[in-house]
Amino acid sequence: MRKYARSARIVPLALAAVCVSGLSATAPAQASAAKVSDAHYLRFDKSSFTNSRLELVKRTPGKDKVIKTYRAGSGQTKDTCAVNRGWLPNAGASKPYAIEWHRKNYDAKINGFVIKISDRKCHNGTKRTELFIHSEMKPNGGNGVIESERWTDSKPNDYYSNGCIKLNPANIKDLFKRLDKLGWPKKLYVVD
């Protein structure tokens, strides 16, 4: 009797192990899609210094869905190795930028609403540091009087940056509002 009782317990366990192992190939994809922080990402399409696009994108089966597109600027030269002047080096699916942190009251060389992205080496090995998505504003998010804190929108010069991604104040505040609601992504892809 014991012999049959033991095998009766082992067979269901073996069947359960087979069923679970059969599902394990699909489980990681489902688990990562369910994470709020990985359900969205940012993509920067650099087409010009003053008229590029930053997109908030939702991961979906098949083709991902662009939720919102913002006009953005970046750099003053297309040389991705030009520190404090050049476009951001590209970052595709295999090695995107990490979104490290975000602040609404940052107070440094840049101010206010700021998203810090990871450092990156360009094609010749030069390390690009102090990379951000930001605007021109005071630490409290208001419009200031000095150039670095005043957005005029009267000409495209406000979109030039020292190698970062720059949005107008209304757009970066909208981006923060959306990400506070949706969950903050961990990745930024840069393409041209």
Side-chain angles (χ1 to χ4, degrees):
M1 196 71 170
R2 277 189 169 165
K3 183 177 179 182
Y4 294 115
R6 183 180 302 158
S7 64
R9 280 184 263 159
I10 293 174
V11 170
L13 289 174
L15 282 173
V18 169
C19 290
V20 170
S21 68
L23 294 175
S24 66
T26 58
Q30 291 170 347
S32 65
K35 292 180 184 176
V36 174
S37 61
D38 203 33
H40 298 87
Y41 61 90
L42 297 176
R43 178 172 54 217
F44 180 60
D45 185 354
K46 52 187 184 182
S47 56
S48 81
F49 304 124
T50 61
N51 197 9
S52 293
R53 298 288 175 258
L54 180 68
E55 299 171 327
L56 171 57
V57 184
K58 179 179 181 176
R59 294 184 192 283
T60 59
K63 187 175 180 183
D64 292 347
K65 179 182 176 187
V66 175
I67 295 174
K68 182 74 176 180
T69 300
Y70 303 96
R71 179 181 175 185
S74 180
Q76 302 166 38
T77 175
K78 290 183 179 183
D79 180 359
T80 60
C81 297
V83 175
N84 295 326
R85 295 190 55 227
W87 265 354
L88 293 175
N90 284 0
S94 64
K95 193 172 180 188
Y97 288 87
I99 295 175
E100 296 181 344
W101 50 262
H102 61 279
R103 304 276 186 279
K104 292 182 180 176
N105 58 354
Y106 194 64
D107 188 3
K109 290 180 184 176
I110 55 173
N111 297 313
F113 287 65
V114 172
I115 301 168
K116 173 68 175 92
I117 59 175
S118 57
D119 296 344
R120 177 66 51 126
K121 288 185 180 178
C122 71
H123 65 275
N124 73 9
T126 299
K127 189 172 184 181
R128 298 287 306 277
T129 62
E130 299 181 16
L131 303 175
F132 299 92
I133 301 170
H134 67 94
S135 188
E136 291 182 355
M137 59 179 61
K138 292 170 46 173
N140 68 5
N143 201 19
V145 292
I146 62 173
E147 175 52 34
S148 65
E149 295 180 347
R150 180 181 43 140
W151 190 276
T152 61
D153 253 349
S154 62
K155 51 187 175 181
N157 291 351
D158 284 334
Y159 282 101
Y160 284 106
S161 75
N162 292 336
C164 295
I165 298 171
K166 195 188 279 187
L167 303 173
N168 77 32
N171 284 345
I172 199 162
K173 288 176 181 178
D174 181 76
L175 177 62
F176 267 71
K177 183 178 177 182
R178 288 173 187 272
L179 294 179
D180 284 345
K181 183 178 178 182
L182 295 171
W184 279 82
K186 294 181 178 183
K187 297 174 182 171
L188 166 72
Y189 300 94
V190 176
V191 298
D192 59 3

